Amino acid sequence: MEDLKLHGFWYSPFTMRVVWTLKLKGLSYENIEEDRFNKSPQLLEYNPVHKKTPVLVHGGKPICESMIIVQYIDELWPQNSLVPHDSYERAQARFWVAYSEQMVPALPALIQSNSAEEKEKAVQKAWENFKVLEDHCLADKRKFFGGDKINIVDIAIGSFFVFFVTIEDLKQVKILVAEKFPLLHLWFDNFKNAPVIKENFPDREKMLATMKPFLERRLASS
């Protein structure tokens, strides 16, 4: 058994990335659930620079930043590889992983939107990112971003889409519109229903119950 410990918040998209990777690799680990508002001294010791989760501890040594952790796991445990063997395809995968970070600003913008105008503006911003993925990353109608199997791009982008669909419920707004983004909508269905992902997909009601007070706090402070 590998000496692996994961410090994170179960509802964090960044922690989800690491959990899915560990599960896809069939690795056992100790889960250490952190309190977002009262982080453990251990976590602060392991990540003194950013003081953020997730942190994977392997043999007592910490690795920080979600996609760095995902790549570390993938390099060390080659089963069910998450990156293409072809050098060009591997470079393309890394490009889309980097692009996924451009979706981060859309999440707080949607969460903090109050008026219909603010909400519409935030949705339009998310749609700009969705259109890029629809037109340039899924145009060949592949099942996953990695083709027939899940790869590192699915992990990176899928974690954010968990939040987009949660925000849909919280804010009573449709973001992932099937008619507007049919390929992206189909991809997300394929992704969330893949056996390992489905078994480790956050519960919808639990996500809503967790995110609702967080949303209320953000709105109250804005």
Side-chain angles (χ1 to χ4, degrees):
M1 180 178 174
E2 299 293 344
D3 180 16
L4 292 169
K5 297 178 182 179
L6 175 61
H7 290 255
F9 313 131
W10 70 268
Y11 55 90
S12 162
F14 305 106
T15 299
M16 286 176 207
R17 292 171 167 181
V18 181
V19 170
W20 290 337
T21 300
L22 290 165
K23 296 295 185 178
L24 284 164
K25 297 287 184 176
L27 298 171
S28 298
Y29 64 97
E30 179 184 349
N31 184 64
I32 301 171
E33 186 69 23
E34 291 283 347
D35 181 345
R36 183 185 183 93
F37 304 102
N38 186 25
K39 296 167 186 173
S40 71
Q42 244 185 346
L43 172 68
L44 301 179
E45 178 185 341
Y46 285 142
N47 191 357
V49 177
H50 296 302
K51 301 177 174 61
K52 293 180 179 179
T53 62
V55 173
L56 181 73
V57 184
H58 180 209
K61 297 178 180 179
I63 304 97
C64 305
E65 299 295 321
S66 63
M67 293 314 298
I68 292 175
I69 297 170
V70 168
Q71 293 175 61
Y72 175 86
I73 296 169
D74 195 51
E75 290 173 6
L76 205 54
W77 291 277
Q79 66 270 25
N80 299 324
S81 177
L82 295 176
V83 295
H85 294 295
D86 179 78
S87 297
Y88 177 77
E89 292 298 325
R90 191 159 59 247
Q92 292 301 301
R94 286 171 177 158
F95 172 86
W96 289 112
V97 166
Y99 179 81
S100 73
E101 300 304 313
Q102 294 188 33
M103 290 191 285
V104 174
L107 295 170
L110 284 162
I111 289 172
Q112 296 179 49
S113 60
N114 284 320
S115 67
E117 183 180 354
E118 288 177 343
K119 193 182 296 184
E120 176 65 21
K121 186 176 179 181
V123 169
Q124 289 294 334
K125 181 60 181 174
W127 280 357
E128 289 177 16
N129 297 138
F130 288 7
K131 182 168 175 53
V132 170
L133 295 174
E134 180 86 7
D135 292 348
H136 300 287
C137 203
L138 289 169
D140 56 1
K141 300 182 181 180
R142 62 182 71 182
K143 184 176 182 180
F144 301 112
F145 288 113
D148 291 330
K149 67 172 191 172
I150 289 171
N151 80 355
I152 197 169
V153 183
D154 299 284
I155 296 293
I157 295 177
S159 62
F160 290 136
F161 272 74
V162 173
F163 259 66
F164 281 123
V165 296
T166 302
I167 292 170
E168 285 184 334
D169 290 336
L170 286 170
K171 305 293 288 188
Q172 297 297 299
V173 60
K174 194 62 181 172
I175 305 170
L176 184 55
V177 181
E179 295 78 10
K180 195 174 183 69
F181 306 104
L183 300 180
L184 204 53
H185 190 271
L186 179 60
W187 160 77
F188 189 56
D189 274 346
N190 291 333
F191 178 73
K192 69 183 181 181
N193 287 309
V196 172
I197 303 300
K198 187 175 183 178
E199 290 166 11
N200 298 280
F201 201 80
D203 179 77
R204 179 177 176 179
E205 295 303 321
K206 189 177 177 184
M207 278 288 288
L208 287 172
T210 300
M211 291 302 298
K212 190 172 182 180
F214 175 71
L215 171 63
E216 291 169 349
R217 282 195 296 269
R218 291 295 293 265
L219 291 176
S221 63
S222 62

